[in-house]
Amino acid sequence: MIVDRLVDYLPVSGPLGPRLRDGLGRRFEYLRLSLTEVCNFRCTYCLPDGYRKRCGQPSVLSLAEIERAVRAFAALGLWKVRLTGGEPTIRHDFEDVARAVSTVPGIRRVAMTTNGYRLAERAQSWRDAGVDALNISVDSLDPARFAAITGHDRLAEVLAGIDAAREAGFSSIKLNAVLMRGVNDDELEAMTRFVATRDLSLRFIEVMRTNDNAEFFAARHVSGESVARRLEAAGWQRLAREAGAGPAVEFGHAEARGRIGIIAPYAKDFCASCNRLRLGSDGKFHLCLFGDGGFDLRPLLQHDDQHDELVARIVALTRTKAPAHRLHDGDSGATPHLASIGG
Ligand code: SAM
């Protein structure tokens, strides 16, 4: 308590680590940076009809704007950045962005989330560009289902990409799977077996309701708690939460190499451990995945000498972060789909 109060009087960065906090005392060390809204996959829960450009959509942040933004967050003690989207690797300058972000002083870890489309051929280049950790979306291990969910008959390519990533020496590789009732929820055991025998981890993500997928959500949502019960019945054990851990609940198994995590945004207290902030590909700063549209930082990303003003604005906005999302009231904020903001 006393330490907490003292911390309020210390500079925003320094030996005590992250200093960016909201009004409830949640600390932020982790930035999700969306590089584009565009995705080439057509996942049934996200962009079932494919990506369509929004009317009046601004251009994506340039490399220089991205660098200025990341420098400001790093000055506030954020040390981990996740490159996401849309499909981040669609950007022709993806490797330049990864290189620039990974060399910002204070950034110690660069992760990315990808659909794995070019992974088999690019894994080593992305690693060489400074990406440390990978999350790869794999919603089914059955080729026909994978094609039905994503609109791309590419499971074999994505699996080859995972092998290439393991050879390229990423420090962490996680698979993301969205479990959907009547679509792939019978694959839980097959997926856990797949990671148990490999040096990989798996994240089950609850389908989240966005403005575009309300009917899909109602028909297909599987609760994280029911997934947890199935894992426990198969001998997986809940691991103690580490200090500063994000909202995922983690499970381990004595005989498994990998771990399993559940991201369950509908679980009680999910937002209490929120440690993420997001910067959209258009420069909008999002305090929540399901907030009201974000705050435009782009005017403060134009010159290096705006750094202090940018830092002050980030600090002030972060203080206003809401205690929790309003998903339980059927309110997804201004988010049409997760590709629009960086899932
Ligand atoms: N294109 C990349 C990919 O496919 O992984 C990165 C962006 S995607 C929006 C990031 C993650 O969000 C993926 O794992 C995807 O499955 C997940 N996702 C997208 N929409 C979702 C939704 N409505 N509910 C739950 N997860 C969702």
Side-chain angles (χ1 to χ4, degrees):
M1 196 58 182
I2 292 169
V3 170
D4 265 10
R5 276 197 222 120
L6 278 176
V7 160
D8 275 337
Y9 295 95
L10 290 168
V12 288
S13 61
L16 284 185
R19 293 284 303 112
L20 189 56
R21 303 207 286 171
D22 68 8
L24 298 174
R26 287 174 293 192
R27 292 168 184 243
F28 300 95
E29 308 177 45
Y30 180 11
L31 176 69
R32 293 198 161 207
L33 180 63
S34 174
L35 301 187
T36 176
E37 291 190 5
V38 181
C39 190
N40 50 342
F41 277 26
R42 298 189 295 276
C43 297
T44 44
Y45 46 83
C46 189
L47 295 171
D49 302 319
Y51 177 76
R52 297 209 177 118
K53 198 172 175 181
R54 284 183 285 132
C55 185
Q57 188 181 335
S59 59
V60 294
L61 293 178
S62 67
L63 186 56
E65 288 171 320
I66 289 173
E67 264 188 286
R68 290 187 192 110
V70 175
R71 277 182 200 284
F73 283 100
L76 289 163
L78 278 83
W79 56 271
K80 176 174 173 184
V81 177
R82 175 173 299 280
L83 307 176
T84 182
E87 174 51 38
T89 64
I90 276 191
R91 264 184 82 135
H92 65 88
D93 60 352
F94 173 74
E95 284 161 33
D96 297 332
V97 172
R99 204 169 291 112
V101 169
S102 66
T103 49
V104 167
I107 298 302
R108 304 205 301 272
R109 191 171 171 90
V110 177
M112 66 185 276
T113 307
T114 177
N115 57 28
Y117 179 66
R118 292 202 193 120
L119 184 57
E121 61 191 78
R122 305 302 301 167
Q124 191 64 58
S125 317
W126 297 342
R127 179 75 192 99
D128 294 344
V131 178
D132 304 292
L134 273 184
N135 280 36
I136 307 154
S137 299
V138 185
D139 291 332
S140 176
L141 292 172
D142 173 85
R145 275 190 189 169
F146 183 93
I149 295 168
T150 63
H152 280 257
D153 186 7
R154 293 182 188 273
L155 177 64
E157 279 171 52
V158 174
L159 295 181
I162 294 170
D163 289 339
R166 293 171 72 206
E167 274 169 35
F170 289 91
S171 63
S172 148
I173 302 177
K174 290 180 185 155
L175 308 189
N176 286 355
V178 177
L179 280 191
M180 295 163 269
R181 193 188 319 146
V183 176
N184 63 351
D185 55 343
D186 59 347
E187 284 193 59
L188 183 136
E189 287 75 18
M191 288 187 189
T192 54
R193 272 198 307 279
F194 185 82
V195 296
T197 53
R198 294 169 174 83
D199 204 6
L200 298 171
S201 292
L202 174 64
R203 302 245 133 160
F204 288 118
I205 309 176
E206 266 184 275
V207 185
M208 299 173 217
R209 184 186 184 282
T210 59
N211 287 338
D212 287 0
N213 76 359
E215 275 179 36
F216 184 94
F217 171 82
R220 304 292 179 201
H221 178 250
V222 175
S223 80
E225 200 38 53
S226 69
V227 175
R229 280 197 299 272
R230 286 171 67 184
L231 289 176
E232 281 167 340
W236 290 83
Q237 291 181 330
R238 258 174 231 249
L239 302 174
R241 294 187 75 80
E242 288 167 17
V249 179
E250 295 245 48
F251 291 78
H253 192 295
E255 287 158 29
R257 293 177 73 188
R259 285 184 176 186
I260 295 185
I262 301 181
I263 312 262
Y266 293 86
K268 190 172 162 286
D269 291 337
F270 179 78
C271 301
S273 54
C274 184
N275 63 352
R276 297 145 193 218
L277 295 170
R278 292 183 158 80
L279 187 67
S281 57
D282 54 2
K284 295 260 174 62
F285 182 38
H286 298 275
L287 301 171
C288 174
L289 199 45
F290 302 102
D292 292 326
F295 304 93
D296 195 4
L297 295 184
R298 199 164 202 172
L300 295 177
L301 297 174
Q302 303 313 307
H303 307 286
D304 291 343
D305 59 13
Q306 293 172 298
H307 176 84
D308 292 349
E309 201 185 339
L310 176 60
V311 167
R313 180 112 174 98
I314 293 169
V315 169
L317 288 171
T318 303
R319 290 263 161 195
T320 69
K321 181 174 162 81
H325 60 61
R326 303 180 299 265
L327 285 177
H328 296 286
D329 304 322
D331 182 348
S332 314
T335 306
H337 45 73
L338 295 200
S340 68
I341 185 170

